[in-house]
Amino acid sequence: MGKAANTRLTILQKSFDLIYVNGYQATSIDVIIATTQVTKGAFYYHFKNKDDMGMAVVNEVMYPAMTEVLIKPLINSADPVNDIYKMVHGLLLDNPHMQVKYGCPVNNLTQEMSPINEAFSQVLTRLVNECNEAIMQSVENGKKAGSIRANVDAWQVAYFVMSGYWGIRNFGKLFNSADCYHTFLKELHSYLQGLK
Amino acid sequence: MGKAANTRLTILQKSFDLIYVNGYQATSIDVIIATTQVTKGAFYYHFKNKDDMGMAVVNEVMYPAMTEVLIKPLINSADPVNDIYKMVHGLLLDNPHMQVKYGCPVNNLTQEMSPINEAFSQVLTRLVNECNEAIMQSVENGKKAGSIRANVDAWQVAYFVMSGYWGIRNFGKLFNSADCYHTFLKELHSYLQGLK
DNA sequence: TGCAAATAATACTAATCAGTATCTTTTATG
DNA sequence: CATAAAAGATACTGATTAGTATTATTTGCA
């Protein structure tokens, strides 16, 4: 990787970390260039403005990461009752890039930015829709394979699972403890069993 | 109500509106005093600082409102399958103080402030715990009344329902549409029926 | 090697932020 | 009515913000 490309990637990754912890609007460009040791001239060479950088963080850092941990594990799954549970369990408890205290980066950014910035809404919608579709598709596969009741609505399940995941992430932030994750996962397990 | 008490209440209510729409940190005191037509001297007479005002918004505006719409409808309920559904339905679709685009005020503030401000965490935890307890208690009542299976874990249900509600609120913000609420409510209905 | 383009560095601006110091007006009570 | 306290008004501060203008350096390539 060339030096310039490296500078750009450094900005994106460090910015992601700062936004994850402090929120987007509370993450100033001055702090970003201080932590990255990149000058303001370099920053504005690589990005048109702050929002341009924020959008790049979504598309080039968050999107690939979510694909890896949420979508890939569900593709070609014909046993969604187990695979969805495992995916959510992994997302909550086994992901080294997320911390209980700071919740889910996608959830955080959606909540903060979607009502006040249409461009953020769009890139986040694309990301979130793909997550929903992955869950939906796995449920459809399960229905075909007979591991899920035929009268289960796959879209409803997708929204229900994603909503639950986002919501319990917020509890985790509030209590700063993973205890609630275990409580949630037990009930998620019951719920998913009920789809059989 | 005296003039001073009225000034204070005006600040709290308008601040709530601004925080609900723009977030806490993005709501400046200058904007608050501009929209309330209250001077900065008056603001700092009634509140020690911005956080003091923010905490008062939680305790004196959000807490009573949440008690009214979430806790009261569940108290003395022995038919939680229906009453929890109705409560969530009302919260999502029939509450005049909330808008799809801006989500749930408690959820918003929790997400924004709990990781970075311990004092906010505490007042929000008190509020949220009471909501959870109301759901939990209604489930326990349902178990005693026989309308809910004995092997259902009431705490798990409370976390699951609250998580789902918070999560779908975030979808509503992202899509700026109540369509997803209906999808969610259908699956919530199925889930609650499964508790019988 | 020389030179143009890519990349980075520095210093600045105008706006906005939370908070303070000081002053004036209103209110309640003797 | 007099007076003290409550309540509100005004003007300011130093810090921080996103962004810009200008200059300097590094890089690839002829």
Side-chain angles (χ1 to χ4, degrees), chain B residues 10 27 71 85 173:
Chain B
T10 301
T27 299
I71 296 173
Y85 179 85
K173 292 180 77 163

Side-chain angles (χ1 to χ4, degrees), chain A residues 8 29 43 90-91 100 117 125 152 159 166 192:
Chain A
R8 185 189 151 92
I29 292 168
F43 181 95
L91 223 47
V100 173
N117 190 309
T125 295
V152 166
Y159 274 98
W166 271 356
L192 290 171

